Structures are given as structure tokens and as C-alpha cells.
Amino acid sequence: MSATLTTEQALAVLRNAEMLYTPEQISAAFQRLGEVLAKGDGAVGEALARVRHLLIDEFQDISPQIVQWLQAVHRALTRQGQGQGQAVSLMAIGDDWQSIYGWRGSS
């Protein structure tokens, strides 16, 4: 036997489980991630140590906050790579004709 939830009920369940985030919370989280990367946090640096190539697909659907985070990741990887003589590449693929998330700031 399955139960069907209305949109309002589903949102209430997510909100009560603290699984529903506002755009401001998401923006703050990506900003914090960028700050951690800028400081060169050891754990983050270790997690990214083997990354040399970033490939972003569906770039047209990425929000400005995610772009800022990707820039911070790229800067952190570039700093790490310079000390080891390794280059870091970034490739973004997107088609603005297919953008479906303009309502959240992507373009």
C-alpha cells in the first residue's frame, strides 16, 4: 500500500528533516566551500590532490554560486599544480538554447 503526498506535504517532510534549503543557504554553502579552498585546508587539498582535469557538462544550467565555487576549485588546483610542475585544465560544455534553470540564475 503506497501513500501519495501533496506537494505541500512533501515540502513539509523535507523541511522537517532539514533537507530543504533556500537559495540563500545554498549560496552561503558554496561561498564557504570557496573560502575553505582559498585557505588551502589540508583535508580539501588532499581530496583534490589527484585532480588535474575538470570537465563540466551542461554548463548552461549551473548557477552563479557554482561558477564561483568552480573558480575557487580551479585556483586551488592551479596553486597545488604549480608547486609540482603540473598543469590543470578546465573544460565547460553547454548550450544556452537548452538552458532550463534560468529561474535560479543560470544562463
Side-chain angles (χ1 to χ4, degrees):
M1 191 173 191
S2 66
T4 303
L5 297 177
T6 66
T7 301
E8 291 79 21
Q9 290 170 327
L11 289 173
V13 168
L14 292 171
R15 197 173 295 110
N16 290 336
E18 296 183 1
M19 296 175 65
L20 184 65
Y21 302 100
T22 65
E24 293 80 17
Q25 289 171 311
I26 294 170
S27 178
F30 277 106
Q31 183 175 0
R32 177 71 183 117
L33 284 169
E35 291 168 359
V36 168
L37 286 167
K39 291 179 183 176
D41 182 341
V44 174
E46 289 174 22
L48 295 174
R50 297 180 56 189
V51 177
R52 293 290 164 251
H53 310 285
L54 296 172
L55 172 61
I56 298 102
D57 194 12
E58 301 297 338
F59 191 74
Q60 75 277 359
D61 292 327
I62 291 178
S63 69
Q65 295 83 9
I66 295 175
V67 170
Q68 290 173 346
W69 179 76
L70 286 169
Q71 289 170 334
V73 168
H74 190 260
R75 283 191 297 271
L77 290 173
T78 300
R79 278 194 310 273
Q80 285 181 350
Q82 285 175 345
Q84 302 169 359
Q86 298 175 337
V88 176
S89 65
L90 170 68
M91 178 189 283
I93 301 168
D95 181 354
D96 58 351
W97 285 88
Q98 294 183 19
S99 182
I100 60 173
Y101 292 108
W103 54 270
R104 71 165 189 204
S106 65
S107 60

